[in-house]
Amino acid sequence: DTAVSQTPKYLVTQMGNDKSIKCEQNLGHDTMYWYKQDSKKFLKIMFSYNNKELIINETVPNRFSPKSPDKAHLNLHINSLELGDSAVYFCASSQVLTEQYFGPGTRLTVT
Amino acid sequence: AQSVTQPDIHITVSEGASLELRCNYSYGATPYLFWYVQSPGQGLQLLLKYFSGDTLVQGIKGFEAEFKRSQSSFNLRKPSVHWSDAAEYFCAVGAQGSSNTGKLIFGQGTTLQVKP
């Protein structure tokens, strides 16, 4: 009965590769988010979708592309991975104007 | 610009002692305020939130926080810390009303260590 789930939990890959992280929520929320947590544990929002519509797109390289096939899923695809992309990526969801619920995170390591 | 400051990067307290984690925010409008906790290797769990009303809010695990508009603060407190409270704590602020896109601004976090 996991509320917000992400796969994979760990992802190790080489520079230049393309990878995807998947997120699903079973809370019936309308809005989903992607956050990046860097090595200093600083959390910053990357994207937000509301009912499959992109509403937040922070200053993120266009190598990062979110995709929302339906309002329960928000995937993150990353092209041409770089060393600086190594981080923990969190998915979250919420109803409009309420608190966000976070997934367990995906630790991405680029070598 | 919106910002959240957690002045204490690292705090160590003895088990059973009281705890206060500080959070100051800079925000032009009335904010939504949150405290989240992150245990090692885990996601973020919501401890408590402030949207409106009573400025003293109660959360899970015995935590409470007080919103002080005049000081732009939302400090987290617990009267008696347990060893299991050792974790990373994040304060976050979001916009209310028509400015609300759901975007949260997080502080840099406070690492809590609990001594036996």
Side-chain angles (χ1 to χ4, degrees):
Chain A
D1 60 344
T2 304
V4 182
S5 59
Q6 297 178 227
T7 54
K9 188 168 176 62
Y10 299 96
L11 187 52
V12 180
T13 188
Q14 292 183 328
M15 287 175 54
N17 284 348
D18 303 338
K19 290 294 180 185
S20 292
I21 305 171
K22 296 186 176 182
C23 178
E24 177 180 3
Q25 56 96 1
N26 62 7
L27 297 167
H29 290 164
D30 294 322
T31 309
M32 296 184 72
Y33 312 80
W34 278 111
Y35 287 85
K36 180 180 180 180
Q37 185 175 47
D38 63 23
S39 58
K40 296 184 178 179
K41 298 189 178 179
F42 182 66
L43 274 156
K44 191 171 189 303
I45 192 164
M46 301 172 67
F47 302 103
S48 171
Y49 271 74
N50 181 266
N51 279 320
K52 302 196 297 176
E53 179 183 351
L54 182 66
I55 57 172
I56 296 176
N57 186 352
E58 291 291 291
T59 308
V60 176
N62 57 16
R63 298 181 295 102
F64 289 79
S65 55
K67 285 188 171 51
S68 182
D70 56 61
K71 73 174 193 178
H73 296 83
L74 180 62
N75 304 323
L76 183 66
H77 187 75
I78 316 170
N79 290 326
S80 303
L81 279 155
E82 300 177 357
L83 291 176
D85 298 331
S86 295
V88 181
Y89 293 85
F90 287 101
C91 177
S93 73
S94 73
Q95 283 292 26
V96 179
L97 308 183
T98 64
E99 64 272 20
Q100 296 177 22
Y101 292 83
F102 284 77
T106 296
R107 181 175 294 277
L108 172 64
T109 303
V110 182
T111 62
Chain B
Q2 307 157 19
S3 66
V4 178
T5 301
Q6 294 178 242
D8 305 304
I9 302 299
H10 192 279
I11 282 184
T12 300
V13 300
S14 298
E15 190 168 16
S18 64
L19 172 70
E20 182 170 34
L21 302 182
R22 295 182 291 164
C23 173
N24 294 98
Y25 67 91
S26 172
Y27 202 77
T30 303
Y32 288 138
L33 293 159
F34 307 88
W35 276 98
Y36 284 87
V37 61
Q38 183 181 24
S39 297
Q42 303 297 313
L44 281 75
Q45 181 183 24
L46 179 69
L47 283 176
L48 46 77
K49 63 189 179 188
Y50 173 78
F51 285 1
S52 65
D54 192 347
T55 56
L56 183 63
V57 293
Q58 302 297 320
I60 63 171
K61 305 184 180 186
F63 285 93
E64 67 177 25
E66 186 170 12
F67 171 54
K68 293 186 177 179
R69 185 187 304 276
S70 61
Q71 298 178 19
S72 296
S73 70
F74 188 57
N75 295 347
L76 181 72
R77 300 193 294 250
K78 186 170 185 178
S80 178
V81 169
H82 187 263
W83 64 267
S84 60
D85 293 324
E88 191 79 19
Y89 290 80
F90 292 94
C91 180
V93 63
Q96 289 203 32
S98 59
S99 302
N100 189 344
T101 59
K103 178 178 176 178
L104 292 183
I105 306 294
F106 282 85
Q108 61 267 56
T110 297
T111 303
L112 173 65
Q113 185 177 0
V114 181
K115 293 191 300 185

